[in-house]
């Protein structure tokens, strides 16, 4: 596994300082969030990406992961072609910047938002259609595209997620399992055992810290399931304590 510290606050002028911060909690990589208020602007330039990448070469795995999210206004389940195309363009831009940063995985959250304006079927069909197109860009750039799941009101079954991924016929389209979210609706180990090799990234408190202990699964239980799946990808958390205590060996 690659213990990865999630960075959500804007990266300072000296991003190399993140190396010290990551090493202090046992992380061998960092994962910047990409968005208007996040660590990196979603319009960050190639030169700036290279600067950040070079500044983090002191970490064993550098930048392992980039986190991005779609919005209620533009996601794959929207009925309006303009909104879907905006979402598609955002992900393609994020894939390109992930490649510039030298990251292994782009984690994409909120791919489709089920609501009164978006049925579950529309969300699923729209996501499938989008991935059919995005996988070609991901292949060309050498970036793994991992879909965060489960999501609020969407992708609530590991079997459903497994089928969605298998329909892409591309090992570079994987799952980024949100462990606290899995725990709220079932058992994370069940999701990992069901998905197996399709798990590309593990997310633990990647957005914000949860005070409720029921949102976290026992590390040993998750670690055992990941071992059965021969998982070797990024394990991401915004909480240094989680990284320091998780059995990543």
């Amino acid at each position: 596994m690659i213990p990865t510290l999630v960075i959500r606050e804007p990266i300072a002028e000296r991003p190399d300082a993140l190396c010290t911060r990551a090493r202090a909690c046992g992380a061998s990589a960092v994962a910047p969030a990409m968005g208007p208020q996040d660590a990196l602007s979603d319009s960050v330039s190639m030169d700036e990406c290279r600067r950040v990448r070079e500044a983090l070469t002191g970490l064993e795995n550098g930048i392992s992961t980039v986190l991005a999210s779609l919005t209620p206004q533009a996601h794959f389940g929207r009925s309006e072609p303009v909104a879907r195309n905006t979402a598609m363009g955002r992900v393609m831009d994020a894939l390109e910047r992930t490649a510039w940063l030298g990251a292994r995985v782009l984690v994409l959250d909120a791919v489709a938002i089920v609501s009164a304006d978006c049925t579950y079927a529309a969300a699923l069909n729209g996501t499938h259609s989008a991935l059919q197109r995005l996988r070609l860009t991901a292949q060309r750039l050498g970036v793994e595209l991992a879909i965060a799941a489960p999501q609020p009101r969407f992708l609530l079954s590991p079997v459903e997620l497994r089928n969605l991924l298998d329909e892409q016929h591309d090992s570079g389209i994987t799952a980024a399992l949100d462990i606290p979210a899995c725990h709220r609706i079932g058992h994370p180990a069940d999701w990992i055992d069901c998905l197996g090799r399709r798990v590309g990234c593990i997310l633990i408190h990647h957005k914000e810290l949860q005070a409720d202990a029921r949102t976290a699964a026992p590390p040993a239980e998750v670690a055992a399931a990941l071992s059965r799946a021969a998982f070797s990808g990024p394990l991401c958390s915004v909480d240094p304590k989680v990284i320091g205590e998780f059995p990543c060996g």
Side-chain angles (χ1 to χ4, degrees), residues 36-50:
Q37 307 299 322
D38 287 313
L40 293 172
S41 163
D42 50 10
S43 60
V44 62
S45 69
M46 179 187 289
D47 287 344
E48 179 65 8
C49 286
R50 287 176 174 168

Side-chain angles (χ1 to χ4, degrees), residues 181-191 221:
C182 287
H183 194 268
R184 285 193 288 272
I185 62 175
H187 299 286
D190 289 346
W191 284 71
E221 172 191 331

